[in-house]
Amino acid sequence: MGRTYIVEESVGQYLSNISLQGKAFISGLLIGQCSSQKDYVILATRTPPKEEQNENLKHPKAKLDNLDEEWATEHANQVSRMLPGGLLVLGVFIITTLELANDFQNALRRLIFAMEKSMNRKRLWNFTEEEISERVILHICSSTKKISCRTYDVRDPKSSARPADWKYQSGLSTSWLSLDCTIHIDIHIPLSSTSVSYTLEKNTKNGLTRWAKQIENGVYLINGQVKDEDCDLLEGQKKSFRGNTQATSHSFDVRVLTQLLLNSDHRSTATVQICSGSVNLKGSVTCRAYIHSNKPKVKDAMQAVKRDILNTVADRCEILFEDLLLNEIPEKKDSEKEFYILPHRVFVPIPGSTVKLCDYKFGDESAEEIRDHFREMLDRTVQIEDLEIAEEVNTVIPLSIANSHPLRGLECTVGYGESTCMSSVNNEASLEHKDDKQPEQPIKTTVMLKIRQNIESWLKLWLKSKRKGPNIQCSKRNSETEI
């Protein structure tokens, strides 16, 4: 038996309102959430056509083989950045004329595999073996309104189409649960001399991959409690007079703890390498994930939070590098430090839903630009007053002043110049959790990137240990490393 897709009624209304207007076909993305038993579709958005495509698609002999796979894949990549934790691009839809009703399968099969491959390449995490790997293709005939729903297993390049059920439901995501988290990170990424030929983007991505392991292995507190991952997320919530579990709140507070102190049974290995510089990301970011309210499991909720943490940090770095490339700003490898501001996160609600989508905004971008980007990428009108800026925009100030005040953003520091650096494999990309009492409200901060050299103290420590012998124990940030 095939998959069942439970679809928000507003998605059906959106699809029925799309008019071909003389075009041979219109395609787009289906967005929602996977679960073990069924998938949920809460949003659909058409792929904006290229200007040169407008005329080609009106040609009566246009074939679906002319579907621009690269353009549609890039649209999927852009939209995936605008999805909080728990939401995915589940597949594609296509609306065609009756003449092309039987001419879409091969083109869309190639597209759905290309999209999944491209999105996976940008992620810091991987799908587990237990997760659903089927992606959906929905075909609608513009004249008969007949629907064909099929799925492909994107893990299997040789998979064939399987039929799936497509069922509409009103108010599907009106009671979905949100998990909110403000995470404080301190990531140090050495730039080894052997990687000088790599771009700053690639070096940063490699360092973030190591940091991602800490996020995956962290301890997550839900409303201050550690819960068994196989438990129901809503366990302990009040029940209505009908016996149904009702969440007292649609929102859960999540805190992240990562291991700093090493126990006596754990030995780490220090690595000494020639470095051309370093990258530091330090500060606070706002994270948010959503999960359906149909008996959600703790492990699924925590997985959604972890992936949002990884996605939002990686996406901000990627957006910055794209901006530098777009504006043709070269990397200043002869300078001591570079300082950039990463974009901060903006949320916007989906009407009739507890779920919010997101985007990223640089300090010099206007609210009107964010509104236009939502319209272009998600084909929906956003009111400026509905924009929720999750992190404060701070004025850029000298580094010496910024360091003398409480940290209010995510900073990244990269320095250049050949030196020797020493780091523990367990500390190379560290995330610190302070014991101080955290504020009740999430810290509103800017995510910032700065670049500097930070290796002299490591060099002194290494030279000192070489003089005193191999059994010296060196302390760094409450974590012991034996050399």
Side-chain angles (χ1 to χ4, degrees):
M1 184 177 178
R3 299 286 297 169
T4 296
Y5 288 85
I6 308 299
V7 188
E8 173 62 58
E9 276 190 351
S10 61
V11 172
Q13 188 63 44
Y14 173 84
L15 296 174
S16 65
N17 289 339
I18 294 178
S19 173
L20 292 181
Q21 297 180 338
K23 299 182 178 68
F25 62 89
I26 288 177
S27 64
L29 306 175
L30 298 170
I31 297 164
Q33 186 170 101
C34 293
S35 72
S36 58
Q37 297 181 349
K38 61 188 73 172
D39 293 345
Y40 303 93
V41 180
I42 65 170
L43 196 66
T45 178
R46 62 185 293 177
T47 297
K50 280 185 175 179
E51 291 183 4
E52 60 267 27
Q53 283 182 330
N54 289 333
E55 292 300 321
N56 294 337
L57 295 181
K58 292 181 181 179
H59 197 281
K61 293 184 180 180
K63 298 293 183 182
L64 288 179
D65 284 338
N66 296 330
L67 180 67
D68 193 327
E69 184 178 297
E70 183 179 357
W71 180 258
T73 298
E74 180 56 30
H75 180 228
N77 286 327
Q78 294 290 326
V79 168
S80 65
R81 287 177 178 171
M82 305 173 78
L83 304 180
L87 296 187
L88 296 170
V89 175
L90 295 181
V92 298
F93 71 84
I94 189 161
I95 302 173
T96 72
T97 60
L98 182 61
E99 292 77 17
L100 291 177
N102 297 318
D103 193 28
F104 68 91
Q105 205 63 236
N106 290 334
L108 292 186
R109 186 186 188 281
R110 290 195 303 271
L111 174 60
I112 206 168
F113 275 86
M115 284 170 44
E116 195 68 21
K117 181 178 179 180
S118 179
M119 289 185 289
N120 282 338
R121 188 166 55 243
K122 295 176 179 293
R123 291 172 178 145
L124 295 176
W125 49 271
N126 298 310
F127 287 102
T128 64
E129 290 295 329
E130 296 77 20
E131 287 186 85
I132 303 301
S133 56
E134 290 185 58
R135 296 295 179 262
V136 63
I137 293 176
L138 180 74
H139 173 257
I140 303 174
C141 177
S142 61
S143 55
T144 65
K145 303 300 180 182
K146 183 180 178 181
I147 289 180
S148 171
C149 185
R150 301 182 181 183
T151 63
Y152 288 92
D153 185 347
V154 291
R155 283 203 189 110
D156 181 7
K158 298 181 180 180
S159 68
S160 56
R162 299 182 61 190
D165 291 331
W166 187 263
K167 299 179 180 180
Y168 289 107
Q169 178 178 316
S170 177
L172 176 61
S173 59
T174 55
S175 60
W176 279 26
L177 311 170
S178 71
L179 300 108
D180 299 288
C181 173
T182 296
I183 188 166
H184 311 281
I185 71 174
D186 186 355
I187 308 171
H188 175 69
I189 305 171
L191 303 179
S192 69
S193 58
T194 58
S195 64
V196 292
S197 60
Y198 295 171
T199 63
L200 181 58
E201 180 178 7
K202 184 173 181 179
N203 276 309
T204 303
K205 175 69 178 294
N206 291 341
L208 290 178
T209 300
R210 295 190 292 269
W211 163 74
K213 295 178 181 178
Q214 285 190 307
I215 298 299
E216 292 285 355
N217 297 327
V219 176
Y220 289 76
L221 307 180
I222 303 176
N223 290 342
Q225 298 180 335
V226 177
K227 294 191 174 184
D228 188 280
E229 63 175 18
D230 293 321
C231 287
D232 192 323
L233 180 63
L234 296 176
E235 188 177 84
Q237 300 289 331
K238 293 181 180 179
K239 292 189 176 182
S240 68
F241 64 92
R242 294 181 180 178
N244 297 323
T245 301
Q246 300 291 326
T248 55
S249 172
H250 286 309
S251 179
F252 292 85
D253 176 67
V254 179
R255 302 292 177 92
V256 185
L257 306 177
T258 58
Q259 184 179 13
L260 287 180
L261 295 175
L262 302 180
N263 59 45
S264 58
D265 297 328
H266 190 103
R267 296 172 63 89
S268 64
T269 304
T271 301
V272 178
Q273 58 185 358
I274 303 298
C275 293
S276 59
S278 63
V279 177
N280 289 313
L281 282 162
K282 187 175 183 181
S284 304
V285 290
T286 299
C287 308
R288 186 174 297 172
Y290 293 92
I291 192 167
H292 63 84
S293 54
N294 182 22
K295 298 181 180 179
K297 296 294 183 182
V298 169
K299 63 180 179 182
D300 297 327
M302 291 303 93
Q303 184 182 80
V305 172
K306 291 177 184 179
R307 290 176 178 178
D308 189 65
I309 293 171
L310 300 179
N311 287 345
T312 190
V313 173
D315 288 344
R316 294 176 208 232
C317 292
E318 186 179 35
I319 291 170
L320 173 69
F321 295 133
E322 288 176 357
D323 186 67
L324 296 178
L325 183 63
L326 183 65
N327 293 287
E328 298 181 344
I329 302 175
E331 295 178 13
K332 303 175 184 178
K333 292 195 174 182
D334 57 342
S335 65
E336 183 180 350
K337 63 180 68 174
E338 299 175 24
F339 186 81
Y340 304 105
I341 300 178
L342 271 72
H344 58 279
R345 206 170 193 182
V346 180
F347 289 97
V348 65
I350 299 176
S353 172
T354 59
V355 176
K356 293 186 178 183
L357 304 172
C358 71
D359 202 358
Y360 294 94
K361 177 183 180 297
F362 283 103
D364 58 354
E365 286 185 288
S366 65
E368 288 76 15
E369 289 177 284
I370 299 299
R371 176 194 62 194
D372 294 343
H373 190 239
F374 270 103
R375 182 185 298 121
E376 180 185 11
M377 292 293 105
L378 295 171
D379 195 25
R380 57 194 310 111
T381 302
V382 172
Q383 302 300 320
I384 292 179
E385 56 268 23
D386 289 336
L387 296 178
E388 175 196 338
I389 299 178
E391 295 149 347
E392 227 170 67
V393 183
N394 288 334
T395 304
V396 178
I397 52 180
L399 181 61
S400 57
I401 298 178
N403 285 344
S404 65
H405 289 76
L407 186 64
R408 305 194 63 173
L410 177 63
E411 300 180 343
C412 177
T413 305
V414 180
Y416 299 104
E418 186 172 300
S419 305
T420 304
C421 67
M422 180 180 67
S423 60
S424 165
V425 293
N426 293 318
N427 272 347
E428 193 166 294
S430 64
L431 182 152
E432 290 192 353
H433 175 80
K434 303 297 184 184
D435 290 331
D436 336 347
K437 183 178 180 181
Q438 298 190 26
E440 292 297 322
Q441 298 297 325
I443 300 174
K444 297 184 176 179
T445 57
T446 304
V447 180
M448 288 184 285
L449 179 69
K450 67 181 185 200
I451 304 192
R452 72 183 177 193
Q453 290 178 313
N454 188 22
I455 45 187
E456 291 183 359
S457 60
W458 284 106
L459 177 59
K460 292 177 182 178
L461 189 62
W462 177 64
L463 292 175
K464 180 179 179 181
S465 67
K466 295 294 287 184
R467 289 195 297 268
K468 292 190 174 182
N471 296 321
I472 300 295
Q473 289 194 345
C474 304
S475 176
K476 178 67 174 176
R477 291 187 182 177
N478 297 326
S479 183
E480 293 186 350
T481 302
E482 285 196 9
I483 301 177

